[in-house]
């Protein structure tokens, strides 16, 4: 195997329809468990007691556990393209207006404990997530559903409030996961780290001090779906940081490591001559951005937010912190997604202190403006601190801002951010599905993931519904571009960069090219063990 394998999107797209049809859970090679390292942290706290309940979980780490265990009607294929049936045998719109969507379950579908999976279970699961309406905004993915109807044991019909061409993608996300009513009460979340479903694996958690330190995925003998499972057991080990994870890979304690490696680790693995570890680089849709609490006195004036947008030098930020592992981003919609527009560059051009100074002067804003930029210390990797130090340097160097930075652990950061305690803060976004809608609606629709006070009636009431009516996503470009232009003008968020993603694995591990898809979905079923060298 080559030391560095680049998976090209076009190649993946060509393979996906063929590979998705393989189906079944045969093909595992037995042998020892494949051990995967991650720096994702999983904590059950008073503020977030149910990190693995499909009705609550809404971050990439938790979803990557659920995707292995809780089956969905649809699933995103290996590469890019439209979702394909998973727990369903077939699904599709049954009207011309994209407002009625029907699915037929696979015959003989069972939960891991042997109980049959029925249409009533699907309805129960979807209705439960909608009614619990978690405060992190995940239920918004199901917001276009009006009612769920069952017809017999295997037929489910979704009646939508309005046209939604992205609905098949939403049925591929864990919030639409099928759960057993015996395990998941209707009116309350399932606290802790227990997970049960009908997916390719069962799950056992090893927990210490309310934190998951290792998850063990064992092949589900009752699994029946479209995914081919190439192993019998995978262990997911959570490390405190990337250095500890890298050391474990070097010792042979783990077979593969994924997010989040440091930029330095990626550089070292790219240039190393030792061929016992292979680095796989693949396209990704991860983005990073600054968000503004538009009710906070420090940034309530649009001119302050615009001045930040006018000063930040993305190219310099990326070059100094991430090198070739990221690219400057001038919209929330990544450059590789249909509908992308460089709206921020079109609005502000190259960074300019003079233009920023003029914006603030016209608005009567006294300078320097004091701001605190908050970031999380343990959720996106150690480079986050360097990133915020560079942002501080750029803003303070203008003479127009007096910026301090403050790093906070994720289990404190996220609840505080949702309560509006930070005026400016940094977050990342790993898309639920690869469509422009999912880089806009989650931030600006009702019940958005930021709990943001910012609202724009044109985006919410006209442009989002208008975009969703277009089954041909190219035809949605006008609405999507208009949304991006509004965001650039009003700056409730400031996109910074778009990242690549990497997997490093010992050379006897197969399937690494598909270990992650572009939405950073971990696909453990793809991994196997073969001959090294």
């Amino acid at each position: 195997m080559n030391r560095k394998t680049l998976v090209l999107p076009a190649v993946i797209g060509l393979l996906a329809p063929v590979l998705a049809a393989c189906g079944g859970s045969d093909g595992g090679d037995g042998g020892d468990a494949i051990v995967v390292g991650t720096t994702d942290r999983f904590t059950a706290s008073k503020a977030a007691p149910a990190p693995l309940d499909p009705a609550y979980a809404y971050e990439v780490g938790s979803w990557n556990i659920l995707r292995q265990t809780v089956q969905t009607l649809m699933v995103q294929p290996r590469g890019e393209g439209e979702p394909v049936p998973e727990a369903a045998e077939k699904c599709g719109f049954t009207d011309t207006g994209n407002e009625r969507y029907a699915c037929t379950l696979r015959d003989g579908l069972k939960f891991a404990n042997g109980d049959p999976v029925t249409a009533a279970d699907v309805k129960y699961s979807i209705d439960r997530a909608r009614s619990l309406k978690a405060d992190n905004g995940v239920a918004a993915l199901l917001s276009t559903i009006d009612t769920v109807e069952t017809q017999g044991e295997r037929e489910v019909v979704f009646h939508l409030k309005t046209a939604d061409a992205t609905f098949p993608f939403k049925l591929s996300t864990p919030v639409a996961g099928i759960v057993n009513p015996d395990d998941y009460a209707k009116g309350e979340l399932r606290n802790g780290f227990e997970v049960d479903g009908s997916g390719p694996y069962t799950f056992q958690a090893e927990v210490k001090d309310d934190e998951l330190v290792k998850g063990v995925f064992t092949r589900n003998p009752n699994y029946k779906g479209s995914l081919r499972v190439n192993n019998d057991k995978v262990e997911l080990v959570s490390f405190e940081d990337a250095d500890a994870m890298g050391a474990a890979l070097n010792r042979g304690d783990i077979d593969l490591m994924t997010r989040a490696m440091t930029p330095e680790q990626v550089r070292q693995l790219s240039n190393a001559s030792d061929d016992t570890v292979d680095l796989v680089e693949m396209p990704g849709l991860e983005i990073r951005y600054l968000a503004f609490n538009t009710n906070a006195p420090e940034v309530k004036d649009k001119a302050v937010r615009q001045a930040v947008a006018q000063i930040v030098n993305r190219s310099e930020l990326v070059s100094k912190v991430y090198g070739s592992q990221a690219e400057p981003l001038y919209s929330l919609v990544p450059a590789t997604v249909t509908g992308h527009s460089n709206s921020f560059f079109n609005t502000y051009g190259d960074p300019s202190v003079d233009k920023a100074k003029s914006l603030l002067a016209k608005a009567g804003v006294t300078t320097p403006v004091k701001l605190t930029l908050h970031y999380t210390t343990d959720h996106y990797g150690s480079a986050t601190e360097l990133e915020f130090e560079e942002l501080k340097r750029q803003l303070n160097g203008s003479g127009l801002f007096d910026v301090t930075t403050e790093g906070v652990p994720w289990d404190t950061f996220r609840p505080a951010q949702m309560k509006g305690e930070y005026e400016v803060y940094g977050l990342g976004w790993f898309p639920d599905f690869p469509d422009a809608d999912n880089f806009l609606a989650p931030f600006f629709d009702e019940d958005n993931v930021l709990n943001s006070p910012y609202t724009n009636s044109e985006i919410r009431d006209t442009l989002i519904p208008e975009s969703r009516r277009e089954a041909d996503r190219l035809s949605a470009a006008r609405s999507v571009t208009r949304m991006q232009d509004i965001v650039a003008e009003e700056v409730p968020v400031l996109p910074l960069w778009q990242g690549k993603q990497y997997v490093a694995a010992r050379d006897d591990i197969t399937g690494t090219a598909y270990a992650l898809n572009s939405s950073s979905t971990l696909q453990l079923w793809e991994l196997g063990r073969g001959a090294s060298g």
Side-chain angles (χ1 to χ4, degrees):
M1 180 184 287
N2 294 332
R3 160 152 302 284
K4 185 172 181 180
T5 305
L6 177 61
V7 181
L8 298 176
V11 175
I12 298 177
L14 290 171
L15 291 175
V18 178
L19 297 171
C22 291
S25 60
D26 55 5
D29 57 4
D32 297 334
I34 296 171
V35 186
V36 175
T38 181
T39 58
D40 285 327
R41 310 294 284 176
F42 310 92
T43 304
S45 64
K46 185 176 180 180
L52 298 183
D53 190 320
Y56 180 83
Y58 202 16
E59 58 182 73
V60 65
S62 297
W63 271 23
N64 278 339
I65 289 177
L66 292 174
R67 289 184 189 277
Q68 324 303 318
T69 51
V70 178
Q71 202 172 16
T72 49
L73 289 169
M74 304 290 283
V75 68
Q76 293 176 42
R78 257 184 167 187
E80 303 306 313
E82 297 295 316
V84 296
E86 163 55 349
E89 179 181 279
K90 61 180 181 179
C91 285
F93 285 105
T94 60
D95 66 335
T96 57
N98 291 339
E99 293 182 355
R100 186 180 188 276
Y101 195 79
C103 293
T104 302
L105 291 178
R106 292 178 184 272
D107 190 23
L109 207 64
K110 295 179 181 179
F111 290 108
N113 68 357
D115 290 349
V117 177
T118 67
D121 295 323
V122 176
K123 174 178 169 57
Y124 176 90
S125 303
I126 299 288
D127 286 345
R128 175 178 179 270
R130 293 168 64 216
S131 64
L132 284 171
K133 203 172 184 178
D135 58 8
N136 58 15
V138 67
L141 285 168
L142 307 175
S143 64
T144 55
I145 296 175
D146 185 20
T147 58
V148 184
E149 173 191 359
T150 62
Q151 297 180 356
E153 293 289 298
R154 295 174 56 203
E155 303 291 330
V156 186
V157 180
F158 299 93
H159 300 276
L160 307 184
K161 299 173 186 175
T162 184
D164 186 1
T166 68
F167 190 66
F169 280 107
K170 294 171 181 176
L171 289 183
S172 73
T173 63
V175 70
I178 306 166
V179 298
N180 192 329
D182 292 343
D183 299 319
Y184 293 83
K186 185 173 184 178
E188 60 187 44
L189 293 171
R190 186 179 187 181
N191 293 348
F193 297 100
E194 289 186 296
V195 182
D196 295 282
S198 56
Y201 297 97
T202 61
F203 180 74
Q204 283 288 125
E206 293 186 16
V207 180
K208 182 179 180 182
D209 298 328
D210 294 323
E211 187 167 346
L212 187 148
V213 294
K214 182 166 74 172
V216 179
F217 298 90
T218 303
R219 183 205 291 249
N220 172 14
N222 287 320
Y223 170 68
K224 188 173 184 180
S226 64
L227 306 174
R228 180 183 176 89
V229 183
N230 292 305
N231 57 69
D232 290 329
K233 182 179 288 187
V234 178
E235 296 177 357
L236 184 70
V237 181
S238 176
F239 288 90
E240 185 173 347
D241 54 44
D243 289 338
M245 179 171 65
L249 183 68
N250 291 335
R251 291 193 304 268
D253 293 343
I254 63 175
D255 298 298
L256 179 149
M257 67 178 183
T258 177
R259 60 177 305 263
M261 286 180 267
T262 66
E264 181 58 30
Q265 283 176 323
V266 173
R267 282 192 290 268
Q268 288 178 354
L269 286 166
S270 296
N271 298 324
S273 57
D274 177 14
D275 60 0
T276 61
V277 174
D278 299 301
L279 180 69
V280 182
E281 175 188 305
M282 53 196 76
L285 297 177
E286 171 192 3
I287 68 169
R288 295 288 174 84
Y289 59 93
L290 286 180
F292 298 88
N293 176 357
T294 54
N295 276 351
E298 300 89 342
V299 295
K300 191 168 187 176
D301 193 318
K302 179 172 67 174
V304 174
R305 308 193 301 268
Q306 291 174 329
V308 174
Q310 187 66 74
I311 290 169
V312 168
N313 188 323
R314 294 168 176 80
S315 296
E316 207 169 67
L317 173 69
V318 168
S319 175
K320 288 186 175 181
V321 180
Y322 296 101
S324 63
Q325 295 145 45
E327 297 176 352
L329 183 62
Y330 296 91
S331 167
L332 282 174
V333 180
T336 50
V337 172
T338 300
H340 164 80
S341 172
N342 284 318
S343 298
F344 273 83
F345 188 83
N346 297 339
T347 302
Y348 299 97
D350 292 323
S352 170
V353 173
D354 288 341
K355 289 181 181 178
K357 185 175 182 179
S358 178
L359 284 166
L360 294 171
K362 287 180 181 177
V365 176
T366 302
T367 58
V369 180
K370 289 192 174 184
L371 294 178
T372 300
L373 307 186
H374 285 86
Y375 65 93
T376 175
T377 56
D378 57 354
H379 197 64
Y380 301 118
S382 60
T384 307
E385 181 179 0
L386 301 176
E387 177 179 346
F388 275 75
E389 286 301 309
E390 174 60 19
L391 288 169
K392 180 175 75 171
R393 186 195 67 78
Q394 291 184 14
L395 292 168
N396 287 348
S398 72
L400 302 174
F401 289 91
D402 179 5
V403 169
T404 58
T405 60
E406 183 175 342
V408 183
W410 178 253
D411 60 356
T412 302
F413 174 92
R414 181 62 166 150
Q417 174 267 307
M418 290 290 286
K419 292 175 185 175
E421 295 178 10
Y422 305 146
E423 68 264 30
V424 189
Y425 52 91
L427 278 172
W429 181 248
F430 299 85
D432 309 322
F433 50 88
D435 186 276
D437 177 88
N438 195 241
F439 292 91
L440 295 165
F443 300 98
F444 307 119
D445 208 350
E446 190 177 359
D447 300 321
N448 61 77
V449 297
L450 301 178
N451 197 25
S452 172
Y454 171 80
T455 60
N456 181 284
S457 58
E458 183 182 359
I459 290 178
R460 186 172 292 183
D461 301 334
T462 301
L463 296 172
I464 291 176
E466 191 173 270
S467 163
R468 288 174 175 170
R469 281 196 290 270
E470 299 292 347
D472 179 357
R473 301 311 287 158
L474 281 171
S475 300
R478 190 202 67 81
S479 304
V480 169
T481 299
R482 174 61 183 152
M483 283 188 265
Q484 292 169 86
D485 290 345
I486 292 172
V487 173
E489 167 63 24
E490 300 193 350
V491 202
V493 295
L494 178 65
L496 297 172
W497 56 264
Q498 173 182 351
K500 300 174 185 176
Q501 55 186 2
Y502 299 86
V503 166
R506 305 197 73 78
D507 67 351
D508 65 333
I509 300 301
T510 61
T512 54
Y514 297 104
L516 292 171
N517 71 9
S518 65
S519 297
S520 297
T521 296
L522 193 57
Q523 302 178 143
L524 297 180
W525 55 84
E526 295 284 356
L527 301 177
R529 198 180 293 278
S532 61

